[in-house]
Amino acid sequence: MTDTTLLLLHTGITVAIVVGLIVLAKINPVISLVIGALYLGIAAGLGYEGTTTAVVTGFGNLMAEVGLIIGFGVMLGTLLSAMGTLHRVVDGMLRLVGAKRSPHVIGLTSGIIFPAIYFDVALVILGPMARSIALRTGLSIAPLAGALAIGLEVALLMVPPGAAALAIAAALDIPLGTMLLYGIPFGVVVIVASVALHTLLMRFTWNEQRDDDPLTDPEHTGEIAGYGGPSAAESIGGQPVAPGGQPAGEPGRGGSATAVARDPQPVSTGTPGRQLPLFVALLPLLVPLVLIVLDTTTSAFGAEVGLLGFLGNPVVALLIGLLIGFFLAIPALGREGVEEVVVRAAGTSGVILLFTGVAGSLGQVIAETDVGNLVAGLFSANAAYPLVLAWLVAALLRLAQGSGSVAAITAASLLAPVVGSLGLNPVLIWLAAASGAAFGGHVTDNTFWIFKTLLGLSVRGAFQVYTVAQALLSFVGLGAVLVLGIFA
């Protein structure tokens, strides 16, 4: 057996070990991920010291990349929740489109309207909104969380100026205008179709008792989602109800998978005192979003502005938003109230960061074993079916090492040298690789664990709303690319 085959075999065994320890042995995911990383490092020949170094380095590198972003994002979301801002936004969305269409709204908002937002920033901001909609309407969290997973992946990979989309375009020499022409309509189509399919599937597979985390403290999740207990106006005889008088899901849960919610009427957020205008209340969110979008857009056009690059850095932008939030919240919550919100948010983000960091440990070990290059090399000589090949390589890379960005960029770069000789529109290679990179995100993907913890899901539930939702997106995307290839 060749070294390449052995390495791929050990990678598969590692994934099986992690999944088995979590699902079958019921061992904490943090411990399971570290065990998997240690096995792969030693089995792949990194040595004992090299393996432990990779585990520690991976944890530290990922924390350096997303630690402050996640921490500030959770604090910002918690502060907006405490001020009642998120509830006001939810009420506005539900009045506008109705509860039944809220999964599509979340998917399109996260995927098309804000594609330039850093993936983890968008997740910690929109995740609480998804949970809040579920708890206030009686809808299942499954289609809402699945729509968020789909939308965020489309924003990252398929719609400019998503970070991975721009990197793929650079590898394939695709002009930004061409990306916009194809990417936005393509993103809309795959989001609408994928959300519809996932919502339908969840009616048959979602089990509230098994898929919501039974160990999740409703108050703990509520600190992010801002739902706590219902107000007196939202209960009948002590029984929580959704707007419109329908029984709501259990606090801390998303309602049953088959719940039929009616279009809700506006409800009070319970925020004391006179409310700020909604636009002003949203400034802590809007200001960092605008800064990040402006920096990303100017960079995409080749105009590097030093000050804007500094202010548009996700860490700095979120810090600015957090400071604005402090200023606006003090009159309503008081200084002690604001400090209490920050302390609770710090505790919540600590749990998320721990899951995220150990996923980075496993990712670092995988990176040092060069699994990605080996998988890509297996297909480098075969360009008979370039679109399917780009999709397949990206899908295998995503399964092996967890990063959708790395998977898509590697797959696209693999075929970039032969695109011209094939007479194929490079946009099709981009979209095929992006679709493949959406496939099968699981325990090696740090975002899988953020979804699990932030939305209060069991591991099985996280597989359903993250892995399954994005797998559907991947297949829908491949089908759309093949159809587009007939005309492009």
Side-chain angles (χ1 to χ4, degrees), residues 51-456:
T51 298
T52 54
T53 299
V55 169
V56 174
T57 301
F59 187 97
N61 288 346
L62 196 55
M63 286 301 96
E65 182 179 347
V66 302
L68 286 175
I69 291 172
I70 292 175
F72 287 166
V74 171
M75 289 181 185
L76 180 57
T78 307
L79 194 61
L80 290 173
S81 296
M83 294 171 61
T85 305
L86 286 181
H87 282 252
R88 295 172 64 189
V89 172
V90 169
D91 287 340
M93 289 175 59
L94 295 179
R95 285 197 303 267
L96 182 64
V97 304
K100 292 182 181 179
R101 290 180 288 275
S102 55
H104 282 98
V105 171
I106 287 181
L108 291 170
T109 300
S110 59
I112 305 300
I113 298 177
F114 297 121
I117 306 306
Y118 194 87
F119 192 104
D120 292 319
V121 174
L123 175 56
V124 297
I125 290 173
L126 295 174
M129 186 175 294
R131 178 55 97 170
S132 190
I133 291 174
L135 291 163
R136 300 184 68 196
T137 63
L139 285 173
S140 169
I141 187 61
L144 294 162
L148 182 58
I150 289 167
L152 291 176
E153 201 72 5
V154 168
L156 177 68
L157 299 168
M158 302 177 185
V159 179
L166 292 178
I168 299 168
L172 295 171
D173 195 25
I174 304 174
L176 181 60
T178 303
M179 290 184 68
L180 290 169
L181 180 64
Y182 283 91
I184 292 178
F186 186 88
V188 170
V189 169
V190 296
I191 287 174
V192 171
S194 301
V195 169
L197 288 173
H198 183 259
T199 300
L200 178 63
L201 180 62
M202 289 301 101
R203 294 180 183 176
F204 302 98
T205 64
W206 184 260
N207 184 312
E208 182 180 347
Q209 299 302 318
R210 298 174 63 189
D211 295 331
D212 266 350
D213 189 350
L215 299 179
T216 298
D217 178 2
E219 293 183 0
H220 166 81
T221 308
E223 287 164 8
I224 310 176
Y227 53 80
S231 66
E234 297 176 272
S235 62
I236 299 176
Q239 171 68 32
V241 296
Q246 299 301 307
E250 175 191 356
R253 298 289 177 256
S256 67
T258 57
V260 178
R262 299 181 182 178
D263 290 355
Q265 300 300 317
V267 295
S268 171
T269 63
T271 304
R274 184 171 62 87
Q275 290 183 331
L276 295 168
L278 184 57
F279 176 80
V280 175
L282 282 172
L283 285 178
L285 173 62
L286 295 176
V287 170
L289 294 186
V290 169
L291 289 173
I292 295 171
V293 169
L294 284 176
D295 176 50
T296 305
T297 304
T298 55
S299 298
F301 283 100
E304 298 290 342
V305 181
L307 179 60
L308 186 57
F310 172 73
L311 296 177
N313 180 283
V315 173
V316 177
L318 281 173
L319 177 60
I320 293 172
L322 199 55
L323 293 174
I324 296 173
F326 287 165
F327 176 78
L328 296 178
I330 286 176
L333 304 178
R335 292 186 181 275
E336 292 185 0
V338 171
E339 181 62 25
E340 182 181 350
V341 168
V342 172
V343 170
R344 293 202 310 267
T348 299
S349 61
V351 177
I352 299 173
L353 291 172
L354 186 59
F355 281 109
T356 304
V358 294
S361 297
L362 180 57
Q364 181 67 26
V365 173
I366 290 175
E368 294 194 15
T369 58
D370 207 25
V371 172
N373 290 335
L374 289 176
V375 173
L378 294 176
F379 297 92
S380 59
N382 183 5
Y385 303 99
L387 296 180
V388 176
L389 176 61
W391 182 92
L392 184 59
V393 171
L396 290 174
L397 287 168
R398 175 69 185 278
L399 281 170
Q401 51 82 46
S403 171
S405 299
V406 172
I409 293 167
T410 303
S413 300
L414 179 66
L415 292 179
V418 299
V419 168
S421 60
L422 293 172
L424 196 63
N425 189 335
V427 167
L428 298 176
I429 297 294
W430 158 42
L431 295 175
S435 298
F439 181 79
H442 55 96
V443 296
T444 61
D445 183 350
N446 62 284
T447 309
F448 175 93
W449 301 107
I450 301 177
F451 255 83
K452 177 194 179 300
T453 309
L454 188 64
L455 292 168

Side-chain angles (χ1 to χ4, degrees), residues 6-15 17-18 32-47 50-51 54-55 361-371 400-401 444:
L6 275 174
L7 182 54
L8 294 175
L9 176 62
H10 286 310
T11 303
I13 293 173
T14 299
V15 174
I17 288 174
V18 173
S32 301
L33 283 167
V34 173
I35 292 173
L38 292 174
Y39 166 81
L40 180 60
I42 295 172
L46 293 183
T51 298
V55 169
S361 297
L362 180 57
Q364 181 67 26
V365 173
I366 290 175
E368 294 194 15
T369 58
D370 207 25
V371 172
Q401 51 82 46
T444 61

